[in-house]
Amino acid sequence: IKCVAMEDEIAECVDKLIAEKKKVIGVLEQLYSPTEYRILHMRYIQYKSFQEIADHYGMDYGWATTTHGRALKSVEKVLGT
């Protein structure tokens, strides 16, 4: 019985995670810059590191973190915060 209850709890958590990811993607899709969208998608949806993002674009780590920061500011504008 405990295993079934734990499986149900895990399934509920997974459903919540999927719903939250959909909300995040909906916000990201409102961004003007495709690069900002892609960086935030890679970071928060695909769970890529800043180094992996930098490597993807052929840029350095500092570029990835700086662009990430700008992208977060764009998200704040979309959210009106």
Side-chain angles (χ1 to χ4, degrees):
I1 294 174
K2 287 183 181 182
C3 286
V4 171
M6 289 177 78
E7 287 175 352
D8 290 345
E9 185 178 344
I10 290 169
E12 184 180 325
C13 289
V14 168
D15 289 344
K16 287 180 182 179
L17 176 62
I18 290 169
E20 290 302 313
K21 277 188 167 186
K22 286 180 181 180
K23 288 180 188 176
V24 170
I25 290 170
V27 171
L28 297 183
E29 288 175 343
Q30 296 178 54
L31 295 175
Y32 177 75
S33 167
T35 302
E36 289 180 357
Y37 166 85
R38 188 75 183 130
I39 286 173
L40 293 179
H41 191 278
M42 291 174 77
R43 182 74 176 149
Y44 297 108
I45 304 302
Q46 298 175 351
Y47 305 112
K48 301 283 185 183
S49 69
F50 286 119
Q51 190 59 57
E52 290 173 312
I53 294 168
D55 292 345
H56 175 81
Y57 281 97
M59 304 298 274
D60 63 19
Y61 182 89
W63 174 87
T65 59
T66 300
T67 306
H68 173 265
R70 279 196 302 262
L72 289 179
K73 288 182 188 277
S74 294
V75 167
E76 288 177 345
K77 289 178 185 175
V78 167
L79 295 174
T81 57

